[in-house]
């Protein structure tokens, strides 16, 4: 705080110096005292020995007031920069101490549809943990971007261009295991989540993954990750709830009426990877098709005639489970259940269903708290990156260059 105060004072002095009329070039005598020191050196010119030296020292330096003002301003700015840098570094150090999983050497590529709730879950996890990743948007019609994969769904996450992770919950659990323990490679961790062939309720063969809601860590790490009783069980319960129930409420609500269906597909076409003609047909024919399909989904999942009521009840059940004494399901910080629910609900942003949900349920405070925390973390990360780049420069050289550029 003292450094910040000093920086502000220096900046004020600099501004006063620059704004003072006496700092003009013709009146710098008032600011810079004359110096009439005798010099022993020898000068060559029309005067005698020492005449030129005395003349130069006695004359006021042109622009010296502006130089002094710039020096004050730059000094204040540099002091403020140092204060901000130290504050950010201290805060981020505290965050890293509380979340030791931050930082990784993984090179990640996410194959996705942007509006897919399962893909949104994975992005929420990666963003929250500060993991850099490349996005490949997949054309939902041709899917040429994943033609190399026998697994034909998204999301797919490629790790270091060699290891393929399928299924959103497996991706999240495997990465969390890696970040917490760092004892095994991603390939080794994947053996904890075996692929299993099964049949769905229509008798169709599907692939399921064992243990996909479990973070596979040692007891000591588990105690740190889940300090309170039943927190692990609750996290697993609500992660599964997000996949098995919440996600199935999205389509019936965003395609509830022809108007809502058209608005939804307008958003999908804008955000997705479609050609011009392909996008036109997707918007109008897709909207009509999904309006009819949403009716079938409503019957399949035994929803009420007004599907908004099921959505409202679901998110209110979620808020009630968090309770009044906690900010998130994970306490002061989001856990994997928070990330999953946020990821699913986020795909409705900008649509009528989302606005109705925020107005008629109690989810607003939780949702905004998560969204604001996410934005703050992103800003802090960018600021720290910028500060580190500045720190790599030679400070003295940089300040001298700025002084020369401003003052002359």
């Amino acid at each position: 705080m003292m450094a910040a105060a000093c920086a502000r004072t220096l900046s004020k002095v600099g501004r006063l110096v620059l704004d003072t009329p006496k700092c003009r070039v013709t009146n710098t005598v008032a600011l810079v005292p004359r110096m009439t020191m005798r010099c022993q050196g020898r000068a060559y010119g029309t005067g005698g020995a020492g005449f030129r030296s005395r003349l130069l020292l006695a004359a006021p330096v042109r622009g010296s007031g502006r130089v002094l003002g710039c020096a004050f301003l730059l000094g204040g700015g540099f002091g403020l920069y140092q204060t901000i840098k130290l504050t950010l570094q201290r805060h981020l150090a505290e965050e890293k101490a509380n979340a030791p999983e931050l930082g990784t050497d993984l090179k990640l590529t996410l194959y996705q549809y942007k509006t897919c709730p399962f893909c949104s879950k994975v992005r929420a996890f990666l963003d929250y943990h500060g993991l850099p990743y490349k996005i490949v948007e997949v054309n939902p019609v041709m899917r040429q971007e994943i033609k190399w994969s026998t697994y034909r769904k998204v999301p797919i996450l490629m790790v270091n261009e060699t290891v393929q992770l399928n299924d959103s919950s497996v991706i999240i659990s495997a990465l969390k295991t890696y970040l917490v323990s760092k004892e095994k490679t991603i390939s080794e961790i994947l053996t904890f989540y075996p692929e299993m062939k099964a049949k769905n309720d229509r008798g169709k063969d599907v692939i399921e993954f064992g243990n996909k809601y479990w973070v596979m860590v040692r007891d000591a790490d588990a105690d740190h990750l889940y300090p309170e009783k039943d927190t692990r069980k609750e996290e697993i319960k609500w992660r599964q709830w997000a996949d098995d129930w919440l996600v199935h409420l999205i389509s019936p609500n965003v395609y509830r009426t022809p108007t809502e269906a058209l608005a939804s597909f307008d958003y999908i076409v804008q955000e997705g990877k479609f050609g011009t003609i392909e996008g036109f047909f997707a918007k109008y024919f897709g909207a009509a098709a999904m309006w009819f399909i949403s009716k079938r989904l409503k019957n399949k999942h035994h929803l009420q005639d007004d599907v908004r009521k099921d959505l409202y009840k679901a998110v209110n059940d979620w808020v009630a489970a968090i309770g009044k004494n906690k900010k998130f399901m994970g306490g002061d910080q989001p856990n994997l259940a928070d990330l999953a629910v946020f990821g699913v609900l986020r795909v409705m942003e900008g649509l009528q269903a989302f606005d109705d949900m925020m107005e008629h349920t109690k989810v607003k405070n939780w949702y905004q708290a998560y969204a604001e925390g996410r934005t703050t973390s992103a800003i802090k990360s960018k600021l720290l990156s910028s500060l580190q780049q500045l720190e790599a420069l030679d400070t003295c050289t940089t300040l001298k260059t700025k002084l020369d550029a401003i003052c002359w």
Side-chain angles (χ1 to χ4, degrees):
M1 297 299 292
M2 185 177 295
C6 291
R8 287 193 296 269
T9 302
L10 283 172
S11 297
K12 290 179 180 178
V13 171
R15 286 196 298 270
L16 287 172
V17 170
L18 288 176
D19 293 340
T20 302
K22 292 182 179 181
C23 289
R24 294 172 185 167
V25 173
T26 56
N27 293 308
T28 52
V29 179
L31 181 67
V32 182
R34 292 179 179 272
M35 300 173 64
T36 55
M37 295 171 56
R38 293 185 176 273
C39 296
Q40 299 294 326
R42 185 177 183 85
Y44 298 90
T46 55
F51 174 80
R52 184 176 298 273
S53 298
R54 289 195 299 273
L55 179 63
L56 287 174
L57 287 170
V61 181
R62 294 180 62 83
S64 58
R66 183 168 293 275
V67 173
L68 186 58
C70 290
F72 274 117
L73 281 175
L74 287 175
F78 184 68
L80 186 59
Y81 153 74
Q82 290 290 346
T83 303
I84 294 173
K85 182 183 75 171
L86 291 173
T87 302
L88 276 173
Q89 287 175 339
R90 188 183 307 114
H91 184 77
L92 290 172
E94 291 174 356
E95 286 191 344
K96 289 182 179 180
N98 295 328
E101 70 271 17
L102 292 178
T104 179
D105 56 351
L106 301 179
K107 180 180 179 182
L108 306 175
T109 303
L110 177 64
Y111 293 82
Q112 67 154 20
Y113 308 145
K114 184 174 181 179
T115 54
C116 164
F118 296 105
C119 299
S120 181
K121 279 171 49 187
V122 174
R123 292 199 310 273
F125 173 87
L126 297 174
D127 293 339
Y128 176 75
H129 289 85
L131 301 177
Y133 58 99
K134 175 185 175 183
I135 288 179
V136 176
E137 193 68 24
V138 177
N139 182 300
V141 179
M142 304 303 295
R143 293 186 289 182
Q144 288 295 310
E145 294 79 6
I146 56 172
K147 64 181 181 180
W148 47 267
S149 172
T150 56
Y151 184 81
R152 302 295 291 167
K153 298 179 180 180
V154 292
I156 294 173
L157 187 73
M158 291 299 298
V159 180
N160 298 334
E161 300 181 350
T162 57
V163 182
Q164 180 177 343
L165 278 66
N166 306 321
D167 187 276
S168 61
S169 294
V170 171
I171 293 170
I172 291 170
S173 295
L175 285 179
K176 187 68 174 181
T177 300
Y178 176 82
L179 293 173
V180 172
S181 66
K182 286 291 186 83
E183 292 180 340
K184 296 182 181 295
T185 65
I186 291 292
S187 298
E188 292 171 330
I189 290 171
L190 278 181
T191 61
F192 298 142
Y193 309 99
E195 287 190 13
M196 301 180 296
K197 291 184 178 180
K199 291 185 181 295
N200 62 15
D201 53 3
R202 292 176 293 172
K204 183 181 178 181
D205 290 334
V206 294
I207 295 176
E208 289 292 343
F209 296 86
N211 308 317
K212 65 180 182 179
Y213 299 108
W214 281 81
V215 179
M216 300 296 188
V217 293
R218 298 176 306 173
D219 290 342
D221 291 325
D223 292 340
H224 177 74
L225 196 59
Y226 307 105
E228 297 181 11
K229 183 181 179 181
D230 295 332
T231 52
R232 189 177 201 174
K233 184 170 68 175
E234 286 295 297
E235 180 183 81
I236 292 173
K237 171 187 172 182
W238 289 100
R239 287 182 67 192
Q240 187 169 0
W241 172 84
D243 285 354
D244 294 346
W245 179 242
L246 183 62
V247 76
H248 296 302
L249 300 177
I250 303 300
S251 291
N253 274 278
V254 299
Y255 305 124
R256 185 181 61 156
T257 66
T259 301
E260 288 183 89
L262 189 61
S264 298
F265 262 86
D266 183 56
Y267 173 71
I268 289 172
V269 169
Q270 288 180 22
E271 296 295 332
K273 187 175 183 180
F274 293 91
T276 304
I277 298 176
E278 198 175 49
F280 175 83
F281 281 98
K283 178 178 177 179
Y284 293 99
F285 289 93
M290 286 307 301
W291 179 64
F292 284 107
I293 291 173
S294 68
K295 309 305 178 186
R296 292 176 54 191
L297 293 173
K298 182 177 73 172
N299 295 329
K300 176 182 177 181
H301 298 293
H302 309 291
L303 304 183
Q304 301 178 58
D305 289 337
D306 184 359
V307 293
R308 284 287 199 273
K309 292 181 179 179
D310 293 287
L311 178 63
Y312 298 161
K313 183 180 184 304
V315 295
N316 280 332
D317 288 345
W318 162 252
V319 174
I322 294 173
K324 296 181 179 180
N325 298 323
K326 292 194 299 184
K327 188 175 182 180
F328 301 104
M329 179 66 74
D332 292 334
Q333 300 295 328
N335 65 8
L336 297 185
D338 289 289
L339 302 182
V341 175
F342 177 84
V344 172
L345 296 179
R346 175 173 59 176
V347 299
M348 297 191 296
E349 282 189 12
L351 302 176
Q352 186 62 46
F354 182 84
D355 295 339
D356 291 345
M357 177 190 72
M358 297 296 274
E359 182 179 353
H360 294 100
T361 71
K362 300 177 181 179
V363 78
K364 187 174 183 178
N365 289 338
W366 169 84
Y367 193 93
Q368 289 184 339
Y370 183 97
E372 288 169 2
R374 181 170 57 101
T375 302
T376 302
S377 296
I379 292 173
K380 285 190 292 188
S381 296
K382 289 181 180 180
L383 280 174
L384 182 61
S385 176
S386 299
L387 289 171
Q388 289 171 339
Q389 292 176 12
L390 286 172
E391 201 172 34
L393 299 173
D394 181 77
T395 306
C396 294
T397 302
T398 305
L399 288 176
K400 181 179 183 300
T401 303
K402 289 181 178 179
L403 183 63
D404 290 343
I406 294 173
C407 298
W408 301 107

Short mmCIF file of all heavy atoms in Angstrom, two decimals, residues 27-69:
data_model
loop_
_atom_site.label_atom_id
_atom_site.label_comp_id
_atom_site.label_asym_id
_atom_site.label_seq_id
_atom_site.Cartn_x
_atom_site.Cartn_y
_atom_site.Cartn_z
N ASN A 27 10.68 29.29 -20.38
CA ASN A 27 10.69 29.71 -18.99
C ASN A 27 11.29 28.67 -18.06
O ASN A 27 10.93 28.57 -16.91
CB ASN A 27 9.27 30.04 -18.52
CG ASN A 27 8.72 31.25 -19.21
OD1 ASN A 27 9.37 32.28 -19.22
ND2 ASN A 27 7.53 31.12 -19.78
N THR A 28 12.16 27.84 -18.55
CA THR A 28 12.71 26.79 -17.71
C THR A 28 13.67 27.32 -16.67
O THR A 28 14.06 26.62 -15.74
CB THR A 28 13.46 25.76 -18.58
OG1 THR A 28 14.39 26.45 -19.39
CG2 THR A 28 12.49 24.96 -19.43
N VAL A 29 14.06 28.62 -16.79
CA VAL A 29 14.98 29.19 -15.81
C VAL A 29 14.36 29.16 -14.43
O VAL A 29 15.04 29.01 -13.41
CB VAL A 29 15.34 30.63 -16.22
CG1 VAL A 29 16.28 31.26 -15.20
CG2 VAL A 29 15.96 30.64 -17.61
N ALA A 30 13.02 29.31 -14.38
CA ALA A 30 12.35 29.36 -13.08
C ALA A 30 12.42 28.03 -12.36
O ALA A 30 12.32 27.98 -11.14
CB ALA A 30 10.89 29.77 -13.26
N LEU A 31 12.54 26.96 -13.12
CA LEU A 31 12.51 25.62 -12.50
C LEU A 31 13.92 25.10 -12.26
O LEU A 31 14.20 24.52 -11.22
CB LEU A 31 11.75 24.65 -13.41
CG LEU A 31 11.63 23.24 -12.88
CD1 LEU A 31 10.75 23.22 -11.62
CD2 LEU A 31 11.04 22.32 -13.94
N VAL A 32 14.83 25.31 -13.19
CA VAL A 32 16.17 24.76 -13.07
C VAL A 32 17.14 25.86 -12.70
O VAL A 32 17.28 26.85 -13.43
CB VAL A 32 16.61 24.12 -14.41
CG1 VAL A 32 17.98 23.51 -14.26
CG2 VAL A 32 15.59 23.07 -14.84
N PRO A 33 17.78 25.79 -11.57
CA PRO A 33 18.69 26.87 -11.13
C PRO A 33 19.91 26.96 -12.02
O PRO A 33 20.38 25.97 -12.56
CB PRO A 33 19.07 26.42 -9.71
CG PRO A 33 18.85 24.94 -9.70
CD PRO A 33 17.70 24.69 -10.60
N ARG A 34 20.37 28.21 -12.12
CA ARG A 34 21.59 28.42 -12.90
C ARG A 34 22.80 27.87 -12.15
O ARG A 34 22.87 27.94 -10.94
CB ARG A 34 21.80 29.90 -13.19
CG ARG A 34 20.76 30.48 -14.13
CD ARG A 34 21.01 31.95 -14.35
NE ARG A 34 20.06 32.52 -15.25
CZ ARG A 34 20.19 32.54 -16.57
NH1 ARG A 34 21.27 31.99 -17.14
NH2 ARG A 34 19.28 33.11 -17.33
N MET A 35 23.76 27.38 -12.88
CA MET A 35 24.97 26.81 -12.29
C MET A 35 26.16 27.52 -12.92
O MET A 35 26.34 27.47 -14.12
CB MET A 35 25.02 25.30 -12.55
CG MET A 35 23.82 24.56 -11.96
SD MET A 35 23.78 22.83 -12.42
CE MET A 35 25.27 22.26 -11.64
N THR A 36 26.97 28.21 -12.10
CA THR A 36 28.08 29.02 -12.62
C THR A 36 29.41 28.49 -12.12
O THR A 36 30.30 29.24 -11.75
CB THR A 36 27.90 30.48 -12.20
OG1 THR A 36 27.78 30.53 -10.77
CG2 THR A 36 26.66 31.10 -12.83
N MET A 37 29.53 27.18 -12.07
CA MET A 37 30.77 26.57 -11.60
C MET A 37 31.89 26.82 -12.60
O MET A 37 31.69 26.73 -13.80
CB MET A 37 30.56 25.05 -11.45
CG MET A 37 29.54 24.70 -10.37
SD MET A 37 29.15 22.94 -10.43
CE MET A 37 30.81 22.27 -10.25
N ARG A 38 33.03 27.14 -12.08
CA ARG A 38 34.20 27.31 -12.95
C ARG A 38 34.76 25.94 -13.30
O ARG A 38 34.80 25.05 -12.48
CB ARG A 38 35.28 28.15 -12.25
CG ARG A 38 34.85 29.59 -12.04
CD ARG A 38 36.00 30.38 -11.46
NE ARG A 38 35.65 31.77 -11.32
CZ ARG A 38 35.80 32.67 -12.28
NH1 ARG A 38 36.29 32.31 -13.45
NH2 ARG A 38 35.47 33.93 -12.06
N CYS A 39 35.21 25.83 -14.54
CA CYS A 39 35.74 24.55 -15.00
C CYS A 39 37.21 24.70 -15.34
O CYS A 39 37.65 25.71 -15.85
CB CYS A 39 34.98 24.07 -16.23
SG CYS A 39 33.24 23.75 -15.90
N GLN A 40 37.95 23.66 -15.10
CA GLN A 40 39.37 23.66 -15.42
C GLN A 40 39.62 23.25 -16.86
O GLN A 40 40.70 23.39 -17.35
CB GLN A 40 40.09 22.67 -14.49
CG GLN A 40 39.96 23.00 -13.02
CD GLN A 40 40.67 24.29 -12.68
OE1 GLN A 40 41.69 24.62 -13.26
NE2 GLN A 40 40.09 25.04 -11.73
N GLY A 41 38.57 22.73 -17.50
CA GLY A 41 38.77 22.22 -18.87
C GLY A 41 39.06 23.34 -19.84
O GLY A 41 38.85 24.52 -19.58
N ARG A 42 39.55 22.99 -20.99
CA ARG A 42 39.90 23.96 -22.02
C ARG A 42 38.89 23.87 -23.15
O ARG A 42 38.56 22.78 -23.58
CB ARG A 42 41.31 23.66 -22.55
CG ARG A 42 41.81 24.68 -23.54
CD ARG A 42 43.22 24.33 -23.95
NE ARG A 42 43.78 25.31 -24.85
CZ ARG A 42 44.38 26.42 -24.47
NH1 ARG A 42 44.49 26.69 -23.18
NH2 ARG A 42 44.88 27.26 -25.35
N ALA A 43 38.40 25.02 -23.58
CA ALA A 43 37.45 25.06 -24.69
C ALA A 43 38.06 25.81 -25.85
O ALA A 43 38.93 26.64 -25.66
CB ALA A 43 36.16 25.74 -24.24
N TYR A 44 37.56 25.49 -27.04
CA TYR A 44 38.08 26.14 -28.24
C TYR A 44 36.96 26.92 -28.90
O TYR A 44 35.90 26.38 -29.15
CB TYR A 44 38.65 25.12 -29.22
CG TYR A 44 39.82 24.37 -28.64
CD1 TYR A 44 39.63 23.18 -27.93
CD2 TYR A 44 41.11 24.86 -28.76
CE1 TYR A 44 40.70 22.50 -27.38
CE2 TYR A 44 42.19 24.18 -28.22
CZ TYR A 44 41.97 23.01 -27.54
OH TYR A 44 43.03 22.34 -26.99
N GLY A 45 37.17 28.20 -29.12
CA GLY A 45 36.15 29.01 -29.76
C GLY A 45 36.60 30.47 -29.76
O GLY A 45 37.78 30.77 -29.69
N THR A 46 35.63 31.39 -29.82
CA THR A 46 35.98 32.81 -29.89
C THR A 46 36.38 33.37 -28.54
O THR A 46 37.05 34.38 -28.46
CB THR A 46 34.77 33.62 -30.42
OG1 THR A 46 33.64 33.34 -29.59
CG2 THR A 46 34.47 33.23 -31.85
N GLY A 47 35.96 32.73 -27.43
CA GLY A 47 36.31 33.23 -26.12
C GLY A 47 37.58 32.61 -25.62
O GLY A 47 38.20 31.79 -26.26
N GLY A 48 37.96 33.02 -24.42
CA GLY A 48 39.16 32.50 -23.83
C GLY A 48 38.93 31.14 -23.22
O GLY A 48 37.85 30.57 -23.27
N ALA A 49 40.00 30.65 -22.59
CA ALA A 49 39.95 29.33 -21.98
C ALA A 49 38.87 29.29 -20.92
O ALA A 49 38.81 30.16 -20.07
CB ALA A 49 41.30 28.96 -21.39
N GLY A 50 38.05 28.29 -20.93
CA GLY A 50 37.01 28.10 -19.92
C GLY A 50 35.75 28.89 -20.20
O GLY A 50 34.76 28.71 -19.51
N PHE A 51 35.75 29.75 -21.20
CA PHE A 51 34.56 30.58 -21.47
C PHE A 51 33.37 29.72 -21.89
O PHE A 51 32.27 29.88 -21.39
CB PHE A 51 34.91 31.62 -22.55
CG PHE A 51 33.71 32.42 -23.01
CD1 PHE A 51 33.25 33.48 -22.25
CD2 PHE A 51 33.06 32.10 -24.19
CE1 PHE A 51 32.15 34.21 -22.67
CE2 PHE A 51 31.95 32.82 -24.60
CZ PHE A 51 31.51 33.89 -23.85
N ARG A 52 33.59 28.77 -22.83
CA ARG A 52 32.48 27.96 -23.34
C ARG A 52 31.93 27.05 -22.25
O ARG A 52 30.72 26.84 -22.16
CB ARG A 52 32.94 27.15 -24.55
CG ARG A 52 31.80 26.34 -25.19
CD ARG A 52 32.28 25.62 -26.45
NE ARG A 52 32.73 26.57 -27.45
CZ ARG A 52 31.91 27.13 -28.33
NH1 ARG A 52 30.61 26.89 -28.28
NH2 ARG A 52 32.38 27.97 -29.22
N SER A 53 32.81 26.54 -21.39
CA SER A 53 32.32 25.66 -20.33
C SER A 53 31.42 26.43 -19.39
O SER A 53 30.37 25.94 -18.97
CB SER A 53 33.50 25.07 -19.55
OG SER A 53 34.29 24.27 -20.40
N ARG A 54 31.82 27.62 -19.00
CA ARG A 54 31.00 28.41 -18.10
C ARG A 54 29.67 28.78 -18.74
O ARG A 54 28.63 28.78 -18.11
CB ARG A 54 31.75 29.68 -17.68
CG ARG A 54 32.91 29.42 -16.75
CD ARG A 54 33.37 30.71 -16.10
NE ARG A 54 33.84 31.68 -17.08
CZ ARG A 54 35.07 31.73 -17.53
NH1 ARG A 54 35.99 30.86 -17.08
NH2 ARG A 54 35.41 32.65 -18.42
N LEU A 55 29.71 29.04 -20.05
CA LEU A 55 28.50 29.41 -20.75
C LEU A 55 27.50 28.25 -20.77
O LEU A 55 26.31 28.42 -20.52
CB LEU A 55 28.85 29.85 -22.18
CG LEU A 55 27.66 30.25 -23.07
CD1 LEU A 55 26.94 31.46 -22.48
CD2 LEU A 55 28.15 30.53 -24.49
N LEU A 56 28.01 27.05 -21.06
CA LEU A 56 27.12 25.88 -21.15
C LEU A 56 26.49 25.56 -19.81
O LEU A 56 25.33 25.19 -19.71
CB LEU A 56 27.90 24.69 -21.68
CG LEU A 56 28.26 24.74 -23.17
CD1 LEU A 56 29.16 23.56 -23.52
CD2 LEU A 56 27.01 24.75 -24.05
N LEU A 57 27.30 25.70 -18.74
CA LEU A 57 26.78 25.35 -17.43
C LEU A 57 25.83 26.39 -16.89
O LEU A 57 24.94 26.11 -16.09
CB LEU A 57 27.93 25.15 -16.44
CG LEU A 57 28.73 23.86 -16.66
CD1 LEU A 57 29.98 23.89 -15.80
CD2 LEU A 57 27.88 22.64 -16.33
N ALA A 58 26.01 27.61 -17.32
CA ALA A 58 25.16 28.68 -16.83
C ALA A 58 23.82 28.71 -17.55
O ALA A 58 22.83 29.16 -17.00
CB ALA A 58 25.86 30.02 -17.00
N ALA A 59 23.78 28.22 -18.80
CA ALA A 59 22.56 28.31 -19.59
C ALA A 59 21.55 27.27 -19.13
O ALA A 59 21.91 26.16 -18.78
CB ALA A 59 22.89 28.07 -21.08
N PRO A 60 20.27 27.63 -19.09
CA PRO A 60 19.24 26.65 -18.73
C PRO A 60 19.12 25.57 -19.80
O PRO A 60 19.31 25.85 -20.98
CB PRO A 60 17.96 27.51 -18.65
CG PRO A 60 18.22 28.68 -19.54
CD PRO A 60 19.69 28.95 -19.42
N VAL A 61 18.84 24.36 -19.38
CA VAL A 61 18.71 23.24 -20.31
C VAL A 61 17.33 23.31 -20.94
O VAL A 61 16.32 23.29 -20.24
CB VAL A 61 18.89 21.90 -19.57
CG1 VAL A 61 18.77 20.74 -20.55
CG2 VAL A 61 20.23 21.87 -18.86
N ARG A 62 17.27 23.38 -22.25
CA ARG A 62 15.99 23.48 -22.94
C ARG A 62 15.18 22.19 -22.72
O ARG A 62 15.65 21.10 -22.93
CB ARG A 62 16.21 23.70 -24.43
CG ARG A 62 16.86 25.05 -24.75
CD ARG A 62 17.03 25.20 -26.24
NE ARG A 62 15.77 25.20 -26.94
CZ ARG A 62 15.00 26.25 -27.09
NH1 ARG A 62 15.35 27.42 -26.53
NH2 ARG A 62 13.88 26.18 -27.75
N GLY A 63 13.93 22.36 -22.32
CA GLY A 63 13.04 21.21 -22.14
C GLY A 63 13.27 20.45 -20.87
O GLY A 63 12.70 19.37 -20.67
N SER A 64 14.13 20.98 -19.97
CA SER A 64 14.45 20.22 -18.76
C SER A 64 13.24 20.05 -17.86
O SER A 64 13.12 19.06 -17.14
CB SER A 64 15.59 20.90 -18.01
OG SER A 64 15.23 22.23 -17.67
N GLY A 65 12.30 21.03 -17.85
CA GLY A 65 11.09 20.89 -17.05
C GLY A 65 10.25 19.73 -17.52
O GLY A 65 9.72 18.95 -16.73
N ARG A 66 10.15 19.62 -18.83
CA ARG A 66 9.38 18.49 -19.37
C ARG A 66 10.07 17.17 -19.06
O ARG A 66 9.40 16.16 -18.78
CB ARG A 66 9.21 18.68 -20.88
CG ARG A 66 8.37 17.60 -21.53
CD ARG A 66 7.99 17.98 -22.95
NE ARG A 66 7.10 19.13 -22.97
CZ ARG A 66 5.78 19.04 -22.82
NH1 ARG A 66 5.22 17.84 -22.65
NH2 ARG A 66 5.03 20.10 -22.86
N VAL A 67 11.39 17.16 -19.11
CA VAL A 67 12.12 15.95 -18.76
C VAL A 67 11.84 15.54 -17.34
O VAL A 67 11.56 14.38 -17.03
CB VAL A 67 13.64 16.16 -18.95
CG1 VAL A 67 14.41 14.94 -18.42
CG2 VAL A 67 13.96 16.36 -20.42
N LEU A 68 11.87 16.54 -16.42
CA LEU A 68 11.63 16.24 -15.02
C LEU A 68 10.21 15.73 -14.80
O LEU A 68 9.98 14.78 -14.05
CB LEU A 68 11.87 17.51 -14.18
CG LEU A 68 11.81 17.34 -12.65
CD1 LEU A 68 12.84 16.32 -12.19
CD2 LEU A 68 12.04 18.68 -11.96
N GLY A 69 9.24 16.35 -15.48
CA GLY A 69 7.86 15.89 -15.36
C GLY A 69 7.70 14.48 -15.86
O GLY A 69 7.03 13.65 -15.24
#
